[in-house]
């Protein structure tokens, strides 16, 4: 079986150093908001090119913290892509704000900047961009709209650790960015984890407090906060793996290039990228009108695939008020999309096998 993602192999490469760092945490007797968290925050901020990084419990809460710290009011609108993973939208709803869905570009799967302006109203306070599948959004038009209408820009960088746009990494293309370190991400820990990156010192300080019960000093609570902290073990693991992130991303690019050069089946629509550095290929997503049959065929031939994602947010039961809305591009993507295996431990021989099997479909 060619696994979609072999997490054991991914982490086994770092086993010796991870074991050492975990032992150091255990021996320290300090397990939250300690030296490991501080060290990783400093190193990840430097990697992204930002002044601040604030560790938190997961990617959803990273986005939730950003919106909360920006101080929006109930009913304020935040523009967000219609085809994103639902966490992007849940973070908006959690803060009492109103998500305003915008269709993606069918070629890149990222939000279509040309469709945003018509959705801006006096209630609009921010644009949330999602660097979906690992490709950085083309940000120039987003920045121009934000300046024109005095809007905040928030990045959901959960799938795009290390992607680059105009010489800057994701996480450093907005007012603030949320990252997930879920185990399957390009940079993943051994459980849940996340962080916020920003260059805004005041926002960073507010998020640091809100994630810790609204407190900078124990038992002194200046905000109605939550408990959302990146624990010391996860911070240590992430710091170990951060050093290999660029190498891992380069291997993903090598696999993606091989797929693009060698998948010749006319029934398959391959992903497009506008810049080789913009994409870190968290997901290699193809499209076909016969998606379900292709997935079964690949399974029968020993190739594991996933669907990112089978149901668009506006068709989910939790957003019943949207169920009658129509977003045809989003719905087309969700009906046709299929994710092929790609990872830093996938071999080129396995990649070649996937291509050969698909070409016979």
């Amino acid at each position: 079986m060619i696994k979609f993602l072999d997490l054991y192999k991914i982490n086994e490469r770092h086993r010796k150093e991870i074991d050492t760092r975990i032992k150091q945490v255990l021996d320290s007797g300090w397990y939250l908001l300690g030296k490991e968290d501080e060290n990783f925050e400093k190193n990840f901020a430097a990697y992204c090119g930002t002044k601040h990084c604030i560790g938190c419990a997961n990617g959803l809460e990273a986005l939730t913290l950003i919106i909360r710290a920006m101080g929006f009011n109930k009913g304020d609108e935040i523009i967000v892509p219609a085809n994103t993973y639902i966490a992007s939208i849940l973070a908006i709803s959690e803060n009492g704000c109103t998500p305003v869905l915008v269709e993606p570009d069918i070629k890149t799967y990222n939000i279509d900047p040309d469709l945003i302006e018509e959705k801006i109203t006096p209630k609009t306070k921010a644009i949330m961009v999602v660097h979906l599948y690992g490709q950085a959004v083309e940000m120039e038009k987003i920045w121009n709209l934000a300046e024109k209408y005095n809007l905040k820009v928030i990045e959901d960088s959960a799938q795009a650790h290390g992607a680059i746009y105009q010489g800057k990494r994701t996480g450093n293309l907005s007012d603030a960015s949320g990252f997930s370190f879920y185990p399957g991400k390009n940079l993943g820990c051994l459980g849940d984890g996340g962080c916020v990156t920003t260059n805004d010192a005041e926002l960073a300080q507010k998020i640091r407090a809100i994630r810790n019960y609204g407190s900078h000093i124990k038992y002194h609570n200046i905000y109605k906060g939550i408990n959302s902290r990146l624990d010391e073990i996860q911070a240590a693991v992430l710091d170990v793996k951060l050093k290999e992130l660029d190498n891992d991303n380069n291997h993903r690019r090598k696999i993606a290039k091989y797929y693009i050069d060698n998948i010749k089946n006319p029934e398959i629509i391959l992903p497009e990228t506008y810049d080789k550095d913009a994409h870190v290929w968290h997901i290699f997503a193809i499209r076909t009108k016969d998606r379900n049959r292709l997935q079964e065929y690949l399974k029968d031939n020993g190739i594991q695939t996933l669907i990112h994602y089978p149901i668009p947010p506006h068709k989910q039961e939790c957003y019943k008020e949207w169920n009658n809305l129509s977003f045809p591009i989003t719905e087309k993507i969700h009906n046709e999309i299929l994710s092929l295996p790609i990872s830093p431990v996938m071999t080129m021989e396995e990649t070649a096998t996937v291509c050969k099997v698909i070409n016979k479909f």
Side-chain angles (χ1 to χ4, degrees):
M1 170 68 74
I2 298 175
K3 290 186 177 182
F4 179 77
L5 188 67
D6 193 329
L7 289 175
Y8 175 81
K9 282 187 179 179
I10 287 172
N11 291 307
E12 187 64 18
R13 302 172 301 158
H14 310 289
R15 181 65 171 267
K16 187 174 181 180
E17 192 172 359
I18 286 174
D19 283 348
T20 299
R21 294 286 288 273
I22 289 176
K23 185 177 186 301
Q24 288 173 355
V25 172
L26 291 173
D27 290 345
S28 74
W30 193 285
Y31 308 125
L32 285 168
L33 300 184
K35 291 181 179 179
E36 294 292 350
D37 187 60
E38 183 180 333
N39 189 54
F40 173 70
E41 288 180 349
K42 178 187 71 175
N43 291 336
F44 194 67
Y47 178 82
C48 293
T50 58
K51 294 177 181 178
H52 307 281
C53 170
I54 307 100
C56 61
N58 54 65
L60 170 57
E61 290 188 1
L63 296 173
T64 304
L65 285 163
I66 291 169
I67 296 168
R68 187 163 180 173
M70 286 181 171
F72 300 138
N73 297 313
K74 186 174 182 180
D76 285 345
E77 295 174 353
I78 298 178
I79 288 170
V80 64
N83 65 314
T84 185
Y85 180 57
I86 202 165
S88 315
I89 295 168
L90 290 173
I92 298 170
S93 299
E94 178 65 21
N95 282 283
C97 295
T98 301
V100 176
L101 307 183
V102 172
E103 288 269 53
D105 182 327
I106 191 67
K107 294 180 179 178
T108 66
Y109 306 126
N110 282 333
I111 194 168
D112 188 337
D114 294 329
L115 300 179
I116 292 175
E117 190 165 17
E118 65 188 47
K119 296 292 185 79
I120 294 173
T121 75
K123 291 184 177 181
T124 307
K125 301 300 180 187
I127 302 169
M128 181 187 289
V129 298
V130 181
H131 306 299
L132 198 67
Y133 302 150
Q135 178 158 224
V137 172
E138 295 183 75
M139 295 295 295
E140 191 74 43
K141 290 180 180 179
I142 307 292
W143 295 331
N144 291 340
L145 286 170
E147 183 177 5
K148 181 178 179 179
Y149 292 99
N150 192 29
L151 305 176
K152 296 290 187 182
V153 179
I154 302 166
E155 291 171 86
D156 181 341
S157 301
Q159 299 186 6
H161 312 72
I164 295 171
Y165 179 77
Q166 293 187 0
K168 290 185 176 183
R169 295 192 193 275
T170 51
N172 190 23
L173 303 172
S174 63
D175 293 286
S177 175
F179 284 88
S180 167
F181 300 124
Y182 181 77
K185 303 298 185 183
N186 290 36
L187 179 62
C189 55
L190 302 183
D192 275 320
C195 79
V196 174
T197 56
T198 184
N199 290 307
D200 185 329
E202 184 178 348
L203 186 70
Q205 282 297 94
K206 192 171 182 181
I207 290 171
R208 285 191 187 282
I210 294 172
R211 70 162 178 182
N212 187 40
Y213 299 99
S215 170
H216 288 301
I217 302 170
K218 198 169 186 177
Y219 305 133
H220 292 252
N221 305 84
I222 55 177
Y223 305 107
K224 295 174 182 177
I226 61 173
N227 175 12
S228 182
R229 301 173 295 201
L230 180 67
D231 72 67
E232 288 287 275
I233 287 178
Q234 302 304 343
V237 170
L238 288 166
D239 200 53
V240 169
K241 297 174 72 176
L242 177 60
K243 291 176 284 188
E244 291 299 318
L245 178 56
D246 283 342
N247 288 335
D248 286 353
N249 285 342
N250 284 334
H251 187 69
R252 288 175 178 271
R253 290 186 177 112
K254 185 178 178 182
I255 292 170
K257 184 178 187 304
Y258 191 94
Y259 277 151
I260 290 168
D261 291 345
N262 290 279
I263 294 176
K264 304 296 185 181
N265 192 317
E267 299 299 315
I268 304 301
I269 299 170
L270 295 168
E272 295 186 26
T273 180
Y274 61 87
D275 182 332
K276 66 181 179 63
D277 292 323
H279 216 314
V280 291
W281 299 103
H282 173 61
I283 299 293
F284 189 93
I286 62 173
R287 287 184 14 245
T288 179
K289 292 179 180 178
D290 207 358
R291 189 262 310 282
N292 293 341
R293 192 166 70 87
L294 174 59
Q295 186 173 39
E296 280 300 310
Y297 165 78
L298 291 172
K299 180 181 176 183
D300 291 343
N301 282 273
I303 298 168
Q304 185 183 33
T305 59
L306 294 176
I307 298 171
H308 295 91
Y309 302 95
I311 306 172
H314 70 283
K315 296 297 183 183
Q316 296 284 357
E317 187 175 353
C318 63
Y319 287 108
K320 288 180 181 178
E321 65 272 25
W322 294 344
N323 286 176
N324 291 326
L325 296 180
S326 175
F327 291 93
I329 298 173
T330 292
E331 289 160 23
K332 182 178 180 64
I333 291 169
H334 285 257
N335 288 331
E336 297 179 352
I337 207 84
L338 185 67
S339 303
L340 300 183
I342 190 166
S343 82
V345 295
M346 185 176 180
T347 67
M348 297 314 296
E349 289 78 15
E350 289 173 324
T351 309
T353 297
V354 174
C355 293
K356 289 175 184 176
V357 172
I358 287 179
N359 286 338
K360 292 178 181 177
F361 176 67

